[in-house]
């Protein structure tokens, strides 16, 4: 029997996409079925090529979860993480940079602990390096969650890796995943001779894009899919419409928290919320169908690019050993000369400092020395009282906002007046601002400045205390 020359088709991948950004917390001592269900059955979508995406949650019947486990036994599983769970970097990198040195490139561009990030290269060439990153503990937690569910994922990925690269810098390719609008654009090369820098942007779908991205031609990868009833203009309207209508509305024109509203207005608000939720769910479904037809690259959970060709021992030749010895000797001599020079300079500096200090105490002490010392001590006491009062006020304000995402952005002190300011990670709703103002009302006078998006609190420190002089 003659074997067919046609290559075998790769097995259809099963995409499993959790809805939440962070992996669920687990209890190491939990060994009951109830604990396992609470741990694993979060809200998750799955999709195969040619099939309708399915959504599972803790309310889904056990048979639905078992069907997903059976599919995972016959298809390679890719764990599709949320778009905002990963970070993307495309940076200039010197030639010869070792893999263990990659975190050094990120110290100036991220506030995360770079030594705790899982880094995977997407592009690496002369003078540039493109990485995708997320916390190693977070990736391990997602893998453990999938294994407890019986999925045994072959790799992980994100929807950004499936977006095609735009043809020109004035274009972007986008995908609406139901919670974020994923954009892929191009920028100037990170280094001379390198290709154009790729930029990723995960932007909340209800917000208008930033001006620098809004001015480019937008190419939606899932807008023209055949068989989709809402493809085309209707879909674009759901994305390009300004969803911030009313966000600039003055708080005075809105009903106060807890005020009575008409039944018709409440019903209308619920209809608007349901419509927005339906649009988001449809966008989620459409994006999964598109991703299933051309699934993104599956990335490994661990770095398996360790030492290769184990067992091969390299023995340097004799002249190489002589050269290494000479280099070590020269380095030792250079270090000795540097130490001797540093010791001489340190000794000379110490002598000059001692002579200058002795010259200050030549002659009788000044007449007002005691008064100056007393004034200095009073100034230090005033500063200590003011700092203690400021620390107590800051601790009280932090405790009031501890359960909210508000982050301290500014602290200013002028005499007996102090100003604390916080920012929200995203433009907050008026009800969020009102709640924060109510919590801080007992400490001072909270004010919301919509322009810079800042919530400030003016505090009065110790009354009638003079500004301490240096």
């Amino acid at each position: 029997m003659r074997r067919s020359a046609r290559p075998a088709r790769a097995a259809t991948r099963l995409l499993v996409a959790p809805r939440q950004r962070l992996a669920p917390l687990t209890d190491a001592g939990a060994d009951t079925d109830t604990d396992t269900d609470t741990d694993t059955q979060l809200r998750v979508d799955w999709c195969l090529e040619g099939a309708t995406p399915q959504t599972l949650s803790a309310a889904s019947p056990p048979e639905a979860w078992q069907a997903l486990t059976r599919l995972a036994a016959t298809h390679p599983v890719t764990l599709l993480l949320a778009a905002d769970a990963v970070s993307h970097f495309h940076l200039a990198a010197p030639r010869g940079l070792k893999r263990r040195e990659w975190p050094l490139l990120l110290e100036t561009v991220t506030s995360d602990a770079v030594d705790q990030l899982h880094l995977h290269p997407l592009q690496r060439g002369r003078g540039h390096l493109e990485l995708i990153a997320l916390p190693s503990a977070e990736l391990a937690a997602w893998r453990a969650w999938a294994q407890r569910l019986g999925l045994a994922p072959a790799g992980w990925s994100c929807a950004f890796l499936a977006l095609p690269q735009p043809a020109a810098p004035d274009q972007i390719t986008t995908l609406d995943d139901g919670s974020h609008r994923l954009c892929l654009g191009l920028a100037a090369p990170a280094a001379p001779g390198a290709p154009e820098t790729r930029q990723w942007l995960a932007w909340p779908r209800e917000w208008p894009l930033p001006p620098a991205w809004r001015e480019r031609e937008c190419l939606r990868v899932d807008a023209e899919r055949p068989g989709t009833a809402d493809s085309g203009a209707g879909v674009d309207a759901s994305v390009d419409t300004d969803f911030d209508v009313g966000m600039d509305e003055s708080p005075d024109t809105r009903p106060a928290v807890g005020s009575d509203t008409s039944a018709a207005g409440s019903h209308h608000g619920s209809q608007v919320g349901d419509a927005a939720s339906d649009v988001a769910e449809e966008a989620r479904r459409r994006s999964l169908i598109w991703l299933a037809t051309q699934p993104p690259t599956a990335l490994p959970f661990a770095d398996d690019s360790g030492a290769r060709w184990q067992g091969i021992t390299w023995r340097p030749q004799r002249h190489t050993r002589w050269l290494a010895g000479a280099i070590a000797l020269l380095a030792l001599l250079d270090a000795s000369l540097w130490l001797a020079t540093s010791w001489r300079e340190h000794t000379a500096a110490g002598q000059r400092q001692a002579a200058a200090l002795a010259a200050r105490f030549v002659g009788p002490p000044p007449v007002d020395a005691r008064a100056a010392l007393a004034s200095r001590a009073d100034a230090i006491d005033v500063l200590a009282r003011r700092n203690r009062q400021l620390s107590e006020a800051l601790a009280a304000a932090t405790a009031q906002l501890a359960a909210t995402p508000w982050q301290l952005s500014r602290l200013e002190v002028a005499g007996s007046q102090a100003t604390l300011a916080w920012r929200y990670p995203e433009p907050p709703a008026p009800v969020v601002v009102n709640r924060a103002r109510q919590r801080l009302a007992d400490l001072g006078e909270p004010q919301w400045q919509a322009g810079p998006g800042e919530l400030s609190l003016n505090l009065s420190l110790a009354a009638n205390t003079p500004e301490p002089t240096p």
Side-chain angles (χ1 to χ4, degrees):
M1 184 176 70
R2 188 175 64 179
R3 180 179 298 179
S4 175
R6 179 181 301 176
R9 187 177 184 271
T12 304
R13 276 199 278 163
L14 173 63
L15 297 182
V16 178
R19 289 287 184 105
Q20 66 187 50
R21 178 177 178 268
L22 301 178
L25 298 177
T26 61
D27 185 1
D31 55 356
T32 63
D33 294 340
T34 303
D35 292 331
T36 302
D37 292 343
T38 304
D39 174 31
T40 58
Q41 294 183 355
L42 53 87
R43 195 172 187 189
V44 62
D45 300 308
W46 64 264
C47 187
L48 281 170
E49 182 180 359
T52 302
Q54 302 293 327
T55 301
L56 300 178
S57 66
S60 301
E63 294 78 9
W65 290 94
Q66 294 170 4
L68 175 60
T69 305
R70 288 194 298 270
L71 280 175
T74 57
H75 296 81
V77 177
T78 298
L79 191 60
L80 192 67
L81 301 184
D84 58 342
V86 300
S87 298
H88 172 261
F89 306 96
H90 199 166
L91 308 169
R95 296 182 59 182
L97 186 69
K98 301 293 190 295
R99 187 183 186 97
R100 64 177 179 271
E101 299 171 339
W102 289 356
L104 300 178
L105 291 177
L106 308 181
E107 289 184 342
T108 58
V109 295
T110 180
S111 59
D112 295 330
V114 295
D115 57 334
Q116 299 178 8
L117 292 179
H118 174 86
L119 304 178
H120 184 85
L122 301 180
Q123 285 191 75
R124 188 181 184 186
R126 289 188 175 182
H128 75 104
L129 178 64
E130 184 181 12
L131 299 171
I132 183 174
L134 77 163
S136 300
E138 191 65 33
L139 183 60
W142 275 122
R143 186 181 190 184
W145 167 82
Q147 290 175 345
R148 287 193 302 275
L149 197 59
L151 300 181
W156 66 278
S157 188
C158 67
F160 275 113
L161 296 179
L163 289 178
Q165 182 167 307
D170 59 349
Q171 296 178 339
I172 59 173
T173 54
T174 68
L175 176 67
D176 186 353
D177 68 355
S179 61
H180 289 83
R181 190 173 181 180
L182 314 185
C183 302
L184 174 63
L186 299 177
E196 292 174 309
T197 300
R198 294 199 295 183
Q199 296 177 321
W200 290 11
L201 177 66
W203 198 253
R205 66 188 308 272
E206 295 87 358
W207 301 357
L209 287 176
W213 292 77
R214 198 185 312 159
E215 296 171 356
R216 307 188 200 180
E217 181 184 0
C218 181
L219 306 176
R220 291 198 50 174
V221 296
D222 60 338
E224 299 297 335
R225 178 167 177 78
T228 305
D230 56 352
S231 63
V235 176
D236 291 335
S238 67
V239 175
D240 295 332
T241 302
D242 289 336
F243 284 90
D244 59 341
V245 175
M247 292 183 65
D248 294 333
E249 184 179 357
S250 172
D252 296 334
T253 62
R254 300 186 178 188
V257 177
S259 61
D260 295 333
T261 55
S262 63
S266 176
H267 180 65
H268 175 70
S270 63
Q271 287 183 335
V272 172
D274 293 342
S277 177
D278 292 343
V279 171
E281 288 296 325
E282 177 60 25
R284 176 80 171 178
R285 183 192 66 82
R286 186 173 57 249
S287 66
L288 288 173
I289 292 177
W290 182 83
L291 289 170
T293 60
Q294 41 189 6
T297 304
L299 307 180
F301 284 96
D303 177 19
D304 55 357
S305 60
R308 301 179 181 178
W309 307 297
Q310 296 182 357
I312 299 179
T313 304
W314 177 71
R315 298 181 60 86
Q317 298 180 359
R318 176 172 297 181
H319 70 276
T320 305
R321 295 197 297 270
W322 278 104
L323 181 60
I327 292 175
L329 180 59
L330 289 175
L332 181 61
L333 291 175
D334 182 71
S336 301
L337 291 174
W338 178 80
L339 287 174
T341 304
S342 299
W343 179 79
R344 292 178 59 185
E345 291 180 353
H346 178 73
T347 303
Q351 293 175 353
R352 291 193 299 268
Q353 185 177 6
L357 185 60
R360 287 189 175 187
F361 293 95
V362 175
V367 179
D368 57 346
R370 188 179 300 275
L373 289 176
S375 176
R376 183 64 175 174
D378 293 340
I380 292 175
D381 291 340
V382 170
L383 183 60
R385 289 196 302 270
R386 190 180 69 175
N387 289 345
R388 183 169 56 254
Q389 188 176 2
L390 178 61
S391 299
E392 294 173 355
L394 179 59
T398 303
Q400 292 294 333
L401 299 178
T404 63
W406 288 97
Q407 299 176 355
L408 185 66
S409 61
R410 182 165 55 92
L411 190 154
E412 295 179 354
V413 180
S416 61
Q417 295 295 323
T419 301
L420 306 177
W422 294 265
R423 290 182 183 272
Y424 210 70
E426 59 190 28
V431 65
V432 175
V433 176
N434 290 337
R435 288 175 182 172
R437 293 178 64 179
Q438 291 174 359
R439 294 190 178 195
L440 298 176
D442 294 337
L443 303 177
E445 301 175 357
Q447 296 180 354
W448 168 249
Q449 299 177 359
E454 194 174 64
L455 177 64
S456 61
L457 176 65
N458 295 324
L459 300 173
S460 296
L461 303 178
N464 300 325
T465 55
E467 180 72 17
T469 57

